[in-house]
Amino acid sequence: MLNRVRSAVAHLVSSGGGPPPRPKSPDLPTATSAPPAAPPEAPRSPPARAGSARAAPRKIAEARASFSRPTFLQLSPGGLRRADDHAGRAVQSPPDTGRRLPWSTGYAEVINAGKSRHNEDQACCEVVYVEGRRSVSGAPREPSRGQGLCFYYWGLFDGHAGGGAAEMASRLLHRHIREQLKDLPCWPLQKEVTHESLVVGAIENAFQLMDEQMARERRGHQVEGGCCALVVVYLLGKVYVANAGDSRAIIVRNGEIIPMSQEFTPETERQRLQLLGFLKPELLGGEFTHLEFPRRVQPKELGQRMLYRDQNMTGWAYKKIELEDLRFPLVCGEGKKARVMATIGVTRGLGDHNLRVCSSTLPIKPFLSCFPEVRVYDLTQYEHCPDDVLVLGTDGLWDVTSDCEVAATVDKVLSAYEPNDPSRYTALAQALVLGARGTPRDRGWRLPNNKLGSGDDISVFVIPLGGPGSYS
């Protein structure tokens, strides 16, 4: 039975052009080892000429390539072409040679079905060394070198209106976090200021600094568009999940589902957006109203009563329609079709500094927050088994897959592998991507129930919480 399940997964992946689900490479060094060397770079565009904007020196900066995939995939030129093929939509995972990702993390991705020219998702997985810091007295020991410490880092970046912002964030955000963690105090903290709150603040500051860098360099380095950012940091026995956008993370622990993020959309952040429009009406440019109505108000309805709600309301009430209510609503649409100023469907993320309302000069960036929500999970408070995992996914996964379906796939795939087999997490990531992508049919990519599969880019990390190694 186990062999049949494994063969089925291998067949599905190989038919999509992906690698086998059972890599046999050795693990990365354990938690007491020095940070690993960077893997080989994927093919990039030629370096800029001397004297160009890209060649200007800077403390934390990178040039942007026209198209690239995460470096840990180690794609050859041929592999890069397959990864960019909208028709085949081959599943990509790290190769079965070389070192594994930290914690034997599983990863898989697939390009969209023609939604954008390239895959606008990006990913990063690193062990990051913070120089010159000592652990707080009494805290669990971390992998260290000298007086520094290390943190583990995973990041998914879902780009829109171009892949430049996502690529830049995948290269640099963990460096901003490292710089912020250097400022953590070495002495015992006052009771009301916990070490946990300082780490949360460091992550929040790093997101803001990343966004500011994008604003400074958006012209010279072609940082087009924006991106949602979902980041995980493991430090001192705790997992910090930071989310800005509509990517999501859940923990599946002994079959229980623990949400570790929420989606930030025009619907979930309606009150924040309306309050900003109320306090700063100049941001609406006389073209929009911060009030919400069940539908667009028509001129013939002037003087009539209609349901509405403003920034202070969770329910609905009636108001008399006035001339200014005929303006386009700041938040319009429902569900996945909800938009801010009829333009963008997410309300937090990085970039989007050049985004304007269509046929208008009104900027949308003032309504978009770069600050993440950070949730904390203490790994030391629960005895985890190898089947307990943290699943990160861009919205390409969650648009067609529920939390319960993800948990069911976790159980089905991991039960087909030995608990000490590190390749099980890559197989799980591949199964999740394949399940959301579907299979090609006459009318597009379809799921087993014949509903449309995800036509978006899909990227998934599977992080084991009780697998190989000691994390605390």
Side-chain angles (χ1 to χ4, degrees):
M1 177 63 183
L2 295 185
N3 290 334
R4 289 202 299 270
V5 173
R6 293 176 178 175
S7 298
V9 173
H11 173 72
L12 282 172
V13 174
S14 60
S15 66
R22 297 181 59 81
K24 296 297 182 183
S25 56
D27 284 324
L28 278 172
T30 61
T32 56
S33 302
E41 290 283 336
R44 306 283 180 180
S45 58
R49 296 178 180 177
S52 69
R54 290 188 182 181
R58 52 200 180 274
K59 183 177 181 180
I60 300 178
E62 292 283 349
R64 175 190 165 273
S66 58
F67 172 68
S68 67
R69 300 312 310 140
T71 55
F72 57 74
L73 289 177
Q74 302 180 42
L75 295 179
S76 65
L80 195 61
R81 287 191 296 271
R82 287 190 296 273
D84 203 27
D85 178 15
H86 298 277
R89 300 190 74 189
V91 175
Q92 307 295 325
S93 285
D96 57 358
T97 57
R99 291 171 295 194
R100 296 191 186 279
L101 296 179
W103 293 19
S104 295
T105 295
Y107 176 81
E109 68 171 39
V110 73
I111 195 171
N112 62 80
K115 179 180 177 181
S116 60
R117 182 180 177 185
H118 298 299
N119 188 338
E120 294 181 346
D121 284 1
Q122 287 290 343
C124 181
C125 185
E126 297 281 349
V127 182
V128 184
Y129 179 65
V130 184
E131 297 179 353
R133 308 309 301 167
R134 295 179 182 272
S135 295
V136 178
S137 177
R141 294 186 68 180
E142 290 297 304
S144 61
R145 183 174 63 195
Q147 294 183 353
L149 57 84
C150 285
F151 65 87
Y152 294 91
Y153 173 91
W154 299 261
L156 288 181
F157 306 93
D158 183 355
H160 49 258
E167 183 173 344
M168 186 175 187
S170 71
R171 292 169 178 257
L172 302 181
L173 181 56
H174 60 286
R175 302 187 193 180
H176 283 292
I177 295 175
R178 178 189 63 195
E179 293 302 311
Q180 292 301 301
L181 290 176
K182 284 183 179 180
D183 295 331
L184 292 185
C186 300
W187 55 86
L189 301 171
Q190 296 179 5
K191 183 176 180 179
E192 63 271 20
V193 181
T194 64
H195 186 269
E196 178 180 300
S197 68
L198 289 172
V199 175
V200 170
I203 294 171
E204 292 170 334
N205 263 351
F207 270 68
Q208 183 178 28
L209 292 170
M210 184 74 257
D211 192 61
E212 291 172 352
Q213 182 179 359
M214 288 181 176
R216 291 193 307 269
E217 302 184 8
R218 65 184 184 274
R219 293 184 178 87
H221 302 283
Q222 303 178 40
V223 185
E224 78 280 7
C227 68
C228 300
L230 176 62
V231 162
V232 172
V233 171
Y234 170 79
L235 180 66
L236 299 175
K238 294 181 179 180
V239 172
Y240 298 82
V241 180
N243 183 49
D246 61 358
S247 298
R248 288 205 297 115
I250 64 170
I251 286 175
V252 181
R253 187 184 71 189
N254 194 28
E256 177 188 5
I257 297 168
I258 305 172
M260 291 302 297
S261 67
Q262 65 167 315
E263 296 181 6
F264 291 102
T265 67
E267 281 195 324
T268 64
E269 292 214 281
R270 172 188 63 83
Q271 289 180 291
R272 179 182 71 81
L273 300 173
Q274 289 181 321
L275 178 60
L276 183 57
F278 171 75
L279 295 176
K280 296 185 176 181
E282 65 275 10
L283 296 178
L284 302 176
E287 300 179 27
F288 294 86
T289 173
H290 73 277
L291 299 180
E292 182 184 18
F293 299 94
R295 56 177 171 77
R296 180 77 186 277
V297 180
Q298 303 299 317
K300 64 181 180 181
E301 294 172 310
L302 277 172
Q304 298 180 15
R305 297 173 73 236
M306 182 178 286
L307 288 171
Y308 88 106
R309 57 182 177 180
D310 65 14
Q311 72 278 0
N312 300 315
M313 302 170 62
T314 56
W316 295 82
Y318 281 98
K319 81 177 294 288
K320 183 179 179 180
I321 298 300
E322 301 172 1
L323 188 61
E324 62 182 17
D325 297 327
L326 299 181
R327 298 169 182 167
F328 205 87
L330 172 62
V331 175
C332 61
E334 295 180 334
K336 294 296 291 185
K337 295 182 179 180
R339 295 291 183 269
V340 180
M341 300 174 116
T343 304
I344 187 170
V346 291
T347 53
R348 297 200 192 190
L350 303 171
D352 289 313
H353 295 280
N354 293 328
L355 189 60
R356 297 287 187 273
V357 175
C358 183
S359 302
S360 172
T361 59
L362 277 179
I364 298 179
K365 181 63 176 178
F367 291 96
L368 308 180
S369 173
C370 65
F371 285 97
E373 176 199 48
V374 184
R375 298 189 183 184
V376 186
Y377 181 82
D378 192 341
L379 276 180
T380 67
Q381 297 301 306
Y382 192 89
E383 190 71 26
H384 294 88
C385 73
D387 289 355
D388 296 337
V389 293
L390 171 59
V391 178
L392 314 181
T394 55
D395 65 335
L397 171 69
W398 304 109
D399 283 351
V400 298
T401 312
S402 68
D403 292 356
C404 291
E405 289 171 331
V406 168
T409 302
V410 169
D411 178 65
K412 179 180 180 180
V413 174
L414 294 187
S415 64
Y417 289 79
E418 295 296 328
N420 61 350
D421 185 347
S423 67
R424 64 206 308 258
Y425 306 111
T426 295
L428 174 54
Q430 293 170 340
L432 290 170
V433 169
L434 285 166
R437 184 200 68 177
T439 56
R441 299 185 187 173
D442 292 340
R443 294 176 292 123
W445 294 83
R446 296 280 171 171
L447 304 179
N449 59 10
N450 206 38
K451 290 184 178 180
L452 279 174
S454 176
D456 200 357
D457 303 313
I458 311 170
S459 301
V460 172
F461 271 127
V462 175
I463 305 171
L465 301 180
S470 176
Y471 308 139
S472 61

